[in-house]
Every structure is written in structure tokens, then in C-alpha cells.
Coordinates of all heavy atoms in Angstrom, one line a residue:
M727 N 237.4 253.5 52.3 CA 236.7 253.0 53.5 C 235.7 253.9 54.0 O 236.0 255.0 54.4 CB 237.8 252.6 54.6 CG 237.2 251.9 55.7 SD 237.3 250.1 55.5 CE 239.0 249.8 55.8
P728 N 234.5 253.5 54.1 CA 233.4 254.4 54.5 C 233.4 254.6 56.0 O 233.8 253.8 56.8 CB 232.1 253.7 54.1 CG 232.4 252.3 53.9 CD 233.9 252.2 53.6
L729 N 232.9 255.8 56.3 CA 232.8 256.1 57.7 C 231.3 255.9 58.1 O 230.4 256.3 57.4 CB 233.1 257.6 58.0 CG 234.7 257.9 58.1 CD1 234.8 259.4 58.1 CD2 235.2 257.3 59.4
F730 N 231.1 255.3 59.3 CA 229.8 255.2 59.8 C 229.7 255.8 61.2 O 230.6 255.7 62.0 CB 229.4 253.7 59.9 CG 229.2 253.0 58.5 CD1 230.1 252.2 58.1 CD2 228.1 253.4 57.7 CE1 230.0 251.6 56.9 CE2 227.9 252.8 56.5 CZ 228.9 251.9 56.1
E731 N 228.6 256.5 61.4 CA 228.4 257.1 62.7 C 227.3 256.3 63.4 O 226.3 256.0 62.9 CB 227.9 258.6 62.5 CG 229.0 259.4 62.0 CD 228.5 260.9 61.9 OE1 227.3 261.1 62.0 OE2 229.4 261.7 61.7
Y732 N 227.7 256.0 64.7 CA 226.7 255.4 65.5 C 226.3 256.3 66.6 O 227.2 256.8 67.4 CB 227.4 254.1 66.2 CG 227.5 253.0 65.1 CD1 228.5 252.9 64.2 CD2 226.5 251.9 65.0 CE1 228.7 251.9 63.4 CE2 226.7 250.9 64.2 CZ 227.8 250.9 63.2 OH 227.8 249.9 62.4
R733 N 225.0 256.4 66.9 CA 224.5 257.2 67.9 C 223.9 256.5 69.0 O 223.1 255.6 68.8 CB 223.4 258.3 67.4 CG 223.1 259.4 68.4 CD 222.3 260.5 67.7 NE 220.9 259.9 67.4 CZ 219.9 260.0 68.2 NH1 220.0 260.5 69.4 NH2 218.7 259.5 67.9
C734 N 224.3 256.7 70.2 CA 223.9 256.0 71.3 C 222.5 256.4 71.7 O 222.2 257.6 71.8 CB 224.9 256.2 72.5 SG 224.4 255.4 74.0
K735 N 221.6 255.4 71.9 CA 220.3 255.8 72.3 C 220.2 256.1 73.8 O 219.2 256.7 74.2 CB 219.3 254.6 72.0 CG 219.1 254.4 70.5 CD 218.1 253.2 70.3 CE 217.8 253.2 68.8 NZ 216.9 252.0 68.5
E736 N 221.2 255.7 74.5 CA 221.2 256.0 75.9 C 221.7 257.4 76.3 O 221.0 258.1 77.0 CB 222.1 254.9 76.7 CG 221.6 253.5 76.5 CD 220.4 253.2 77.3 OE1 220.1 253.9 78.3 OE2 219.6 252.3 76.9
C737 N 222.8 257.7 75.8 CA 223.4 259.0 76.2 C 223.5 260.0 75.0 O 223.8 261.1 75.2 CB 224.7 258.8 76.8 SG 226.0 258.4 75.7
G738 N 223.2 259.5 73.7 CA 223.3 260.4 72.6 C 224.6 260.6 72.0 O 224.8 261.4 71.1
H739 N 225.6 260.0 72.6 CA 227.0 260.2 72.2 C 227.1 259.6 70.8 O 226.7 258.5 70.5 CB 227.9 259.5 73.1 CG 229.4 259.7 72.7 ND1 230.1 260.8 72.9 CD2 230.2 258.8 72.2 CE1 231.3 260.7 72.4 NE2 231.4 259.4 72.0
V740 N 227.8 260.3 69.9 CA 228.0 259.8 68.5 C 229.4 259.4 68.3 O 230.4 260.1 68.6 CB 227.6 260.8 67.4 CG1 227.9 260.3 66.0 CG2 226.2 261.2 67.6
T741 N 229.6 258.1 67.9 CA 231.0 257.6 67.6 C 231.1 257.3 66.2 O 230.2 256.7 65.5 CB 231.2 256.3 68.4 OG1 230.8 256.5 69.7 CG2 232.7 255.9 68.5
T742 N 232.3 257.6 65.6 CA 232.4 257.4 64.2 C 233.4 256.2 64.0 O 234.4 256.2 64.6 CB 233.1 258.7 63.5 OG1 232.2 259.7 63.7 CG2 233.1 258.5 62.0
F743 N 233.0 255.3 63.1 CA 233.8 254.1 62.9 C 234.2 254.0 61.5 O 233.4 254.3 60.6 CB 233.1 252.8 63.3 CG 232.9 252.7 64.9 CD1 231.7 253.1 65.4 CD2 233.9 252.3 65.7 CE1 231.5 253.0 66.8 CE2 233.7 252.2 67.0 CZ 232.5 252.6 67.6
L744 N 235.3 253.5 61.2 CA 235.7 253.0 59.8 C 235.2 251.6 59.7 O 235.5 250.7 60.6 CB 237.1 253.1 59.6 CG 237.7 254.5 59.2 CD1 239.2 254.4 59.2 CD2 237.2 254.9 57.9
E745 N 234.4 251.3 58.7 CA 233.9 250.0 58.5 C 233.7 249.5 57.1 O 233.5 250.3 56.2 CB 232.5 249.9 59.1 CG 232.0 248.6 59.6 CD 230.7 248.8 60.4 OE1 229.7 249.0 59.7 OE2 230.7 248.7 61.6
K746 N 234.0 248.2 56.8 CA 233.9 247.7 55.5 C 232.4 247.7 55.1 O 231.5 247.4 56.0 CB 234.5 246.3 55.4 CG 236.0 246.3 55.5 CD 236.4 244.8 55.4 CE 237.9 244.7 55.5 NZ 238.3 243.3 55.6
P747 N 232.1 247.9 53.8 CA 230.8 247.8 53.4 C 230.2 246.4 53.6 O 230.9 245.4 53.4 CB 230.7 248.1 51.9 CG 232.1 248.8 51.7 CD 233.0 248.3 52.7
G748 N 229.0 246.3 54.1 CA 228.4 245.0 54.4 C 228.7 244.4 55.7 O 228.1 243.4 56.1
S749 N 229.6 245.1 56.5 CA 229.9 244.6 57.8 C 228.6 244.8 58.7 O 227.9 245.8 58.6 CB 231.0 245.4 58.4 OG 231.2 245.0 59.7
R750 N 228.4 243.8 59.5 CA 227.2 243.9 60.3 C 227.6 243.9 61.8 O 226.9 243.5 62.7 CB 226.2 242.7 60.1 CG 225.8 242.7 58.7 CD 224.6 241.7 58.4 NE 223.4 242.1 59.2 CZ 222.3 241.5 59.1 NH1 222.2 240.5 58.3 NH2 221.2 241.9 59.8
K751 N 228.8 244.4 62.0 CA 229.3 244.5 63.4 C 228.4 245.5 64.2 O 228.1 246.5 63.6 CB 230.7 245.0 63.4 CG 231.8 243.9 63.6 CD 233.1 244.6 63.8 CE 234.2 243.6 63.5 NZ 235.5 244.3 63.3
R752 N 228.3 245.2 65.4 CA 227.7 246.2 66.3 C 228.8 246.8 67.1 O 229.6 246.2 67.6 CB 226.7 245.4 67.2 CG 225.6 244.7 66.5 CD 224.7 245.6 65.9 NE 224.0 246.5 66.9 CZ 222.6 246.7 67.0 NH1 221.9 246.1 66.1 NH2 222.1 247.5 67.8
H753 N 228.6 248.1 67.3 CA 229.6 248.9 68.1 C 228.9 249.4 69.3 O 228.0 250.2 69.2 CB 230.2 250.0 67.2 CG 230.9 249.6 66.0 ND1 232.2 249.0 66.1 CD2 230.5 249.5 64.7 CE1 232.6 248.7 64.9 NE2 231.6 249.0 64.0
P754 N 229.4 249.1 70.5 CA 228.9 249.7 71.7 C 229.4 251.1 71.8 O 230.4 251.6 71.2 CB 229.5 248.8 72.8 CG 230.7 248.2 72.2 CD 230.5 248.1 70.7
C755 N 228.6 251.9 72.5 CA 228.9 253.3 72.8 C 230.2 253.3 73.5 O 230.5 252.6 74.5 CB 227.8 253.9 73.6 SG 228.2 255.6 74.1
E756 N 231.2 254.2 73.0 CA 232.4 254.3 73.6 C 232.4 255.1 74.9 O 233.4 255.2 75.7 CB 233.5 254.9 72.6 CG 233.2 256.3 72.3 CD 234.3 256.9 71.4 OE1 235.2 256.1 71.0 OE2 234.2 258.1 71.2
K757 N 231.3 255.8 75.1 CA 231.2 256.7 76.3 C 230.5 255.9 77.5 O 231.1 255.9 78.6 CB 230.4 257.9 75.9 CG 230.5 259.0 77.0 CD 229.8 260.3 76.4 CE 230.0 261.4 77.4 NZ 229.4 262.7 77.0
C758 N 229.4 255.3 77.2 CA 228.7 254.6 78.4 C 228.7 253.2 78.2 O 228.3 252.5 79.1 CB 227.3 255.2 78.4 SG 226.2 254.7 77.1
G759 N 229.1 252.6 77.1 CA 229.3 251.2 76.9 C 227.9 250.6 76.5 O 227.9 249.3 76.4
S760 N 226.9 251.3 76.3 CA 225.6 250.7 75.9 C 225.7 250.1 74.5 O 226.3 250.7 73.6 CB 224.5 251.8 75.9 OG 223.4 251.3 75.4
A761 N 225.0 249.0 74.3 CA 225.0 248.4 73.0 C 223.8 248.9 72.1 O 223.6 248.5 71.0 CB 224.9 246.9 73.2
K762 N 223.1 249.8 72.7 CA 221.9 250.4 71.9 C 222.4 251.5 71.1 O 222.1 252.7 71.4 CB 220.8 250.8 73.0 CG 220.2 249.7 73.7 CD 219.1 250.2 74.6 CE 218.5 249.0 75.4 NZ 217.6 249.5 76.4
T763 N 223.1 251.2 70.0 CA 223.6 252.2 69.1 C 222.9 252.1 67.8 O 222.5 251.0 67.4 CB 225.1 252.2 69.0 OG1 225.4 250.8 68.6 CG2 225.8 252.6 70.2
E764 N 222.7 253.2 67.2 CA 222.0 253.3 65.9 C 222.8 253.8 64.9 O 223.4 254.9 65.0 CB 220.8 254.2 66.2 CG 219.6 254.0 65.2 CD 218.4 254.9 65.7 OE1 218.6 256.0 66.0 OE2 217.4 254.4 65.7
R765 N 222.9 253.2 63.7 CA 223.8 253.7 62.6 C 223.2 254.8 61.9 O 222.1 254.9 61.6 CB 224.1 252.5 61.6 CG 225.3 253.0 60.7 CD 226.0 251.8 60.2 NE 225.3 251.2 59.1 CZ 225.7 250.1 58.4 NH1 226.9 249.5 58.8 NH2 225.1 249.6 57.4
Q766 N 224.0 255.9 61.8 CA 223.6 257.1 61.1 C 224.2 257.2 59.7 O 225.2 256.6 59.5 CB 223.9 258.3 61.8 CG 223.7 258.2 63.3 CD 222.3 258.8 63.7 OE1 222.1 260.0 63.5 NE2 221.4 258.0 64.0
L767 N 223.7 257.9 58.8 CA 224.3 258.2 57.6 C 225.4 259.2 57.9 O 225.2 260.2 58.5 CB 223.4 258.8 56.6 CG 222.4 257.8 55.9 CD1 221.5 258.6 55.0 CD2 223.2 256.8 55.1
S768 N 226.6 258.9 57.4 CA 227.7 259.8 57.7 C 227.7 261.0 56.9 O 227.4 261.0 55.7 CB 229.0 259.0 57.5 OG 230.1 259.9 57.6
A769 N 227.9 262.1 57.5 CA 228.0 263.4 56.7 C 229.1 263.5 55.7 O 229.1 264.1 54.8 CB 228.1 264.5 57.8
F770 N 230.2 262.6 56.0 CA 231.3 262.6 55.2 C 231.0 262.0 53.8 O 231.7 262.2 52.9 CB 232.5 261.8 55.8 CG 233.0 262.5 57.0 CD1 232.6 262.1 58.3 CD2 233.8 263.6 56.9 CE1 233.1 262.7 59.5 CE2 234.3 264.3 58.1 CZ 234.0 263.8 59.4
A771 N 230.0 261.2 53.8 CA 229.6 260.5 52.6 C 228.8 261.3 51.7 O 228.6 261.0 50.5 CB 228.9 259.2 52.9
A772 N 228.3 262.5 52.2 CA 227.4 263.3 51.4 C 228.1 264.6 51.0 O 227.9 265.6 51.5 CB 226.2 263.6 52.3
H773 N 229.0 264.4 50.0 CA 229.7 265.6 49.5 C 228.8 266.2 48.4 O 228.6 265.6 47.4 CB 231.1 265.2 48.9 CG 232.2 265.2 50.0 ND1 232.6 266.3 50.6 CD2 232.8 264.2 50.5 CE1 233.5 266.0 51.5 NE2 233.7 264.6 51.5
G774 N 228.5 267.5 48.7 CA 227.6 268.1 47.7 C 228.4 268.8 46.6 O 229.6 268.6 46.4
G775 N 227.8 269.7 45.9 CA 228.5 270.4 44.9 C 229.5 271.4 45.4 O 230.7 271.4 45.1
G776 N 229.0 272.3 46.2 CA 229.9 273.3 46.8 C 229.2 274.6 47.1 O 229.7 275.6 47.3
A777 N 227.8 274.5 47.1 CA 227.1 275.6 47.4 C 227.1 275.8 48.9 O 226.7 275.1 49.7 CB 225.6 275.4 47.0
S778 N 227.7 276.9 49.3 CA 227.9 277.2 50.7 C 227.0 278.3 51.2 O 227.3 278.9 52.2 CB 229.4 277.6 51.0 OG 229.8 278.6 50.1
S779 N 226.0 278.6 50.4 CA 225.0 279.6 50.9 C 224.0 278.9 51.8 O 223.7 277.7 51.6 CB 224.4 280.2 49.7 OG 223.6 279.2 49.0
G780 N 223.7 279.7 52.8 CA 222.8 279.1 53.8 C 221.5 278.7 53.3 O 220.6 279.5 53.5
A781 N 221.3 277.6 52.7 CA 220.1 277.2 52.1 C 219.3 276.3 53.1 O 218.3 275.7 52.7 CB 220.3 276.5 50.8
G782 N 219.9 276.1 54.3 CA 219.2 275.2 55.2 C 219.2 273.8 54.9 O 218.3 273.0 55.2
A783 N 220.2 273.4 54.2 CA 220.4 272.0 53.8 C 221.3 271.2 54.7 O 221.8 270.2 54.3 CB 220.9 271.9 52.4
S784 N 221.4 271.7 55.9 CA 222.2 271.0 56.8 C 221.6 269.7 57.3 O 220.4 269.5 57.2 CB 222.6 271.9 58.0 OG 221.3 272.2 58.7
F785 N 222.5 268.8 57.8 CA 222.0 267.5 58.3 C 221.1 267.7 59.5 O 221.4 268.4 60.5 CB 223.2 266.6 58.7 CG 223.1 265.3 58.1 CD1 223.0 265.0 56.8 CD2 223.1 264.2 59.1 CE1 223.0 263.7 56.4 CE2 223.1 263.0 58.7 CZ 223.0 262.7 57.2
P786 N 219.9 267.1 59.5 CA 219.1 267.2 60.7 C 219.6 266.4 61.8 O 219.9 265.3 61.5 CB 217.7 266.7 60.2 CG 218.0 265.8 59.0 CD 219.3 266.4 58.4
T787 N 219.7 266.9 62.9 CA 220.2 266.2 64.1 C 219.0 265.8 65.0 O 218.1 266.6 65.1 CB 221.2 267.0 64.9 OG1 220.6 268.3 65.2 CG2 222.4 267.3 64.1
G788 N 219.1 264.6 65.4 CA 218.1 264.3 66.4 C 217.1 263.4 65.9 O 217.4 262.4 65.2
T789 N 215.8 263.7 66.0 CA 214.7 262.8 65.7 C 214.4 262.7 64.2 O 214.6 263.7 63.5 CB 213.5 263.2 66.5 OG1 213.2 264.6 66.2 CG2 213.7 263.1 68.0
C790 N 214.0 261.6 63.9 CA 213.6 261.4 62.4 C 212.1 262.0 62.3 O 211.3 261.7 63.1 CB 213.6 259.9 62.1 SG 213.0 259.5 60.5
P791 N 212.0 262.7 61.3 CA 210.6 263.3 61.0 C 209.5 262.3 60.8 O 208.4 262.5 60.9 CB 210.8 264.3 59.8 CG 212.0 263.8 59.2 CD 212.9 263.2 60.2
L792 N 210.0 261.1 60.4 CA 209.0 260.0 60.0 C 208.6 259.2 61.2 O 207.7 258.4 61.2 CB 209.5 259.2 58.9 CG 209.8 259.9 57.6 CD1 210.4 258.9 56.6 CD2 208.5 260.4 57.0
G793 N 209.5 259.3 62.2 CA 209.4 258.4 63.4 C 208.2 258.8 64.2 O 207.9 258.2 65.2
Ligands
ZN1357 ZN1 226.2 256.0 75.3

């Protein structure tokens, strides 16, 4: 079961949900109740090889560089 992260556009709170693939459910923010949540790629789904040297490959938080 994949994990999906939803980030609230109102308060920035990130909530992680277990969800079936293909589900189009919307999840309101559990902190402020806003329905303006945006699905993120879960960090748990991106298991790399095992290089733990600080190569700066961490997940960018916040704004999209293309946006
Ligand atoms: Zn919120």
C-alpha cells in the first residue's frame, strides 16, 4: 500500500495517508481542515541505492522550481 503525502496550501501542514493506487479521494488537512491539499511524492517511495554521502540529493521542500 503506497503512502501519499498531502501538503496543505493554507497552513503548510503535511499529512501522510495510506491510499490505494488510482484512488482519487481528496483529503482535507487534518490540522486546519482546509480542502486545499496538494499530493506530494512520498519520500518513502523513493528508496535509493544506499549512498549516504551528502550529495545534496535530498528531497526539495517547498516550492516547485518550475512553478
Ligand atoms: Zn492546513
Side-chain angles (χ1 to χ4, degrees):
M727 190 84 79
L729 279 170
F730 291 108
E731 290 182 346
Y732 287 81
R733 191 169 69 90
C734 177
K735 289 183 177 178
E736 296 290 332
C737 73
H739 180 75
V740 176
T741 312
T742 306
F743 293 98
L744 280 173
E745 203 172 78
K746 288 181 184 175
S749 173
R750 301 191 64 174
K751 256 187 206 171
R752 301 289 300 228
H753 297 282
C755 175
E756 68 175 6
K757 192 170 184 182
C758 73
S760 170
K762 292 181 183 173
T763 51
E764 202 174 42
R765 190 153 82 180
Q766 312 269 293
L767 282 176
S768 175
F770 294 101
H773 275 292
S778 53
S779 57
S784 61
F785 224 62
T787 55
T789 54
C790 176
L792 300 175

